[in-house]
Amino acid sequence: MMRVALLSLPLVVLVAGCTVSPAHPGTQAALPPARQSQTIAPASGTAQQVDVGAPPLAQWWRAFGSAKLDALVETALAHNEDLATAEANLRQAQEQARATAGGQGPQADLNYQVQRARVSNALQTPLADQSINLYTLHTAQVTVAYPLDLFGEGRNHVRSARAAAEVAAHRLDAARITAISNLVQAAIQYAALDAQAEATRKAIADNRALVAMLERRRALGDVGLSDVTAQQTVLANAEAALPPLERQRAHQAGLILSLLGRPAGSPLPPLPAMTDLHLPADLPVALPSDVVAHRPDVQAAAAQVRGAAADVGAAMAARLPSITLSGQAGGSATHFADMFASGNPFFSLIGGITQPLFHSGQLLHQKHAADAALDAAKAQYRAAALQAFLDVDDALSGLRTDAAALDAATRADDAASRTLVMTRRQMELGAVGSFALLNASSAASQAAVQRIQATAARLTDTVALFQACGTPVTGK
């Protein structure tokens, strides 16, 4: 029997090379038509050239031309806790994949056992000396086992585990892009809120000066009390607008600190002002096929499809025969030093084959569940690709509309500033009434804030475009 088993072993090993698994799962997504390169050239602000198919910028945040922003990003790459979590998850997934692969190879264990026993006189002692009823038995043995992966169940488990590690790697890339994009956008919002607060403080100072001027004219009898109270109302409204801006700015400060891995309330590092941030003149935009091939969340979804397909293969192989080879060798004696003396060593070789017959539908339904998981993974992949295309489209549309909005806001701010200067001069000369000044002051304050907001929107949507294209983040 042993000779037959040894002669048939090569045939078994050859058969074990077969792998039962579904056909290579398709991860094709319908691609939108490729966009054409274009230039966003507003009358005010920086013109931006959208280069479709151009190589991505490896450190795209440097295109904003702010050394303070570059320093923030480098700090976040080194200390952001979300990135630390993603990196630890990747190491865990990689080690789990290695452990799964190791479980498919030969396993060897060394065992030593000592037994102290007394046998009843009514029973036969297991020792050669039948007169000994009380004895100590020492046994040492090596056990070797090797599961022959006949139809690839183990190999499919390994593929699934490696796909999970690949998912974790892509999620780390996505976490880097998200963390840095959130940080840059938070820095832009902080700078915009700081500029809005400064503009509001200037409006408050101007309105206080106007109130003082009207009070002087009222003392001279040039204007009535209603003119003074109307301007006081405008002043109070401007003062009421400042605390919400400061509250939002404080929130952005806390967000920036958390993204840098620091607790809220800690001293802020140097942050860029609006004048320190410059719109990138060149915007590389990936082709739809490149978005699918390089965006981390889409690639993570593709790896999940491959892992789900491997799980289907494992479920299929679980319903087929499995072969296990095992062997033991050792020695046993009543004295430790005699375990391997003549006559005491022992060995055994065991080969077994198991064919599942009846499991109350368990294995069949596990296969059906794996099929459903594969269908879900394919749908998630298509959804991720569609979301990627939508993100790119939204960012490009936002840049175009932001440019038009900034044009309008710039013209409004320039016109309102000139109007306020002229109206104030006319008021001092008595050519216009206080209501004209009230309208001019309010319009100038609103126009200044809207211009800041429009500028920040162009910067923010530029960041969104880099993020939507899946532009890689490097530089740690």
Side-chain angles (χ1 to χ4, degrees):
M1 292 296 294
M2 181 61 64
R3 185 176 301 171
V4 172
L6 293 176
L7 291 175
S8 61
L9 182 60
L11 178 60
V12 172
V13 173
L14 290 176
V15 175
C18 302
T19 301
V20 177
S21 63
H24 182 70
T27 53
Q28 298 298 322
L31 300 180
R35 294 180 174 272
Q36 300 296 321
S37 298
Q38 57 180 300
T39 301
I40 301 175
S44 58
T46 303
Q48 292 180 294
Q49 177 64 35
V50 178
D51 296 324
V52 177
L57 298 176
Q59 298 179 346
W60 51 264
W61 59 89
R62 297 186 182 277
F64 291 92
S66 171
K68 294 178 180 178
L69 184 62
D70 298 343
L72 288 177
V73 172
E74 294 301 322
T75 302
L77 287 173
H79 301 290
N80 183 272
E81 296 300 337
D82 290 336
L83 297 186
T85 301
E87 289 173 352
N89 289 338
L90 174 58
R91 293 197 305 273
Q92 178 186 12
Q94 289 174 335
E95 293 301 328
Q96 186 60 50
R98 296 186 183 106
T100 303
Q104 305 308 311
Q107 309 292 320
D109 297 291
L110 176 63
N111 175 264
Y112 168 74
Q113 180 179 353
V114 59
Q115 177 185 0
R116 181 68 172 172
R118 181 182 180 89
V119 179
S120 171
N121 290 330
L123 300 177
Q124 183 178 2
T125 178
L127 302 181
D129 188 350
Q130 298 298 314
S131 63
I132 299 177
N133 288 4
L134 178 64
Y135 62 92
T136 300
L137 186 65
H138 299 268
T139 303
Q141 66 180 12
V142 175
T143 302
V144 179
Y146 180 52
L148 293 180
D149 196 10
L150 189 61
F151 294 106
E153 180 179 4
R155 291 192 294 277
N156 277 310
H157 284 310
V158 172
R159 290 170 184 169
S160 179
R162 288 174 177 169
E166 187 178 352
V167 170
H170 290 306
R171 285 179 176 171
L172 174 58
D173 292 337
R176 288 196 185 102
I177 295 175
T178 300
I180 300 311
S181 299
N182 289 343
L183 175 62
V184 175
Q185 290 178 342
I188 293 171
Q189 291 302 316
Y190 182 92
L193 290 167
D194 192 58
Q196 291 177 57
E198 182 62 29
T200 302
R201 284 191 288 268
K202 182 178 181 301
I204 291 173
D206 291 343
N207 279 288
R208 285 175 179 169
L210 291 175
V211 169
M213 182 189 69
L214 289 173
E215 287 177 341
R216 290 193 300 270
R217 294 192 61 183
R218 177 175 176 270
L220 298 174
D222 291 341
V223 297
L225 179 60
S226 61
D227 295 326
V228 177
T229 56
Q231 186 62 46
Q232 288 174 338
T233 301
V234 175
L235 172 60
N237 290 334
E239 291 173 339
L242 184 58
L245 291 174
E246 292 178 337
R247 170 67 182 86
Q248 295 175 39
R249 185 179 61 177
H251 172 74
Q252 291 299 320
L255 177 59
I256 290 171
L257 287 170
S258 66
L259 291 170
L260 296 177
R262 302 176 185 176
S266 302
L268 280 170
L271 299 178
M274 287 296 290
T275 53
D276 298 328
L277 299 170
H278 308 283
L279 280 170
D282 296 315
L283 296 177
V285 176
L287 294 168
S289 57
D290 291 333
V291 171
V292 170
H294 301 297
R295 185 159 144 153
D297 57 339
V298 179
Q299 285 304 294
Q304 286 179 321
V305 172
R306 292 191 290 273
D311 291 337
V312 172
M316 295 169 62
R319 304 173 64 192
L320 299 173
S322 61
I323 295 178
T324 301
L325 300 179
S326 63
Q328 295 179 346
S332 181
T334 56
H335 295 89
F336 183 86
D338 296 335
M339 282 191 294
F340 298 101
S342 176
N344 290 332
F346 63 86
F347 75 89
S348 66
L349 295 176
I350 303 173
I353 182 168
T354 302
Q355 168 61 57
L357 293 180
F358 179 72
H359 288 256
S360 299
Q362 176 191 11
L363 300 179
L364 176 62
H365 292 299
Q366 287 177 345
K367 166 63 168 54
H368 291 169
D371 288 334
L374 177 57
D375 291 339
K378 291 179 179 179
Q380 289 173 353
Y381 172 82
R382 294 191 294 269
L386 292 175
Q387 184 63 50
F389 301 145
L390 176 61
D391 291 343
V392 174
D393 185 75
D394 282 346
L396 289 173
S397 299
L399 286 175
R400 288 194 299 268
T401 56
D402 289 343
L406 181 58
D407 275 343
T410 300
R411 293 195 302 270
D413 185 36
D414 293 341
S417 298
R418 292 193 299 267
T419 299
L420 179 59
V421 172
M422 292 185 293
T423 305
R424 183 179 296 171
R425 181 59 179 164
Q426 291 172 342
M427 178 80 177
E428 293 172 351
L429 297 175
V432 297
S434 60
F435 288 105
L437 182 60
L438 292 176
N439 292 333
S441 175
S442 177
S445 177
Q446 293 178 1
V449 171
Q450 289 175 353
R451 183 173 185 173
I452 295 170
Q453 292 175 340
T455 302
R458 283 197 73 186
L459 291 166
T460 300
D461 280 333
T462 300
V463 176
L465 180 60
F466 285 123
Q467 184 178 11
C469 291
T471 306
V473 172
T474 60
K476 181 175 178 180

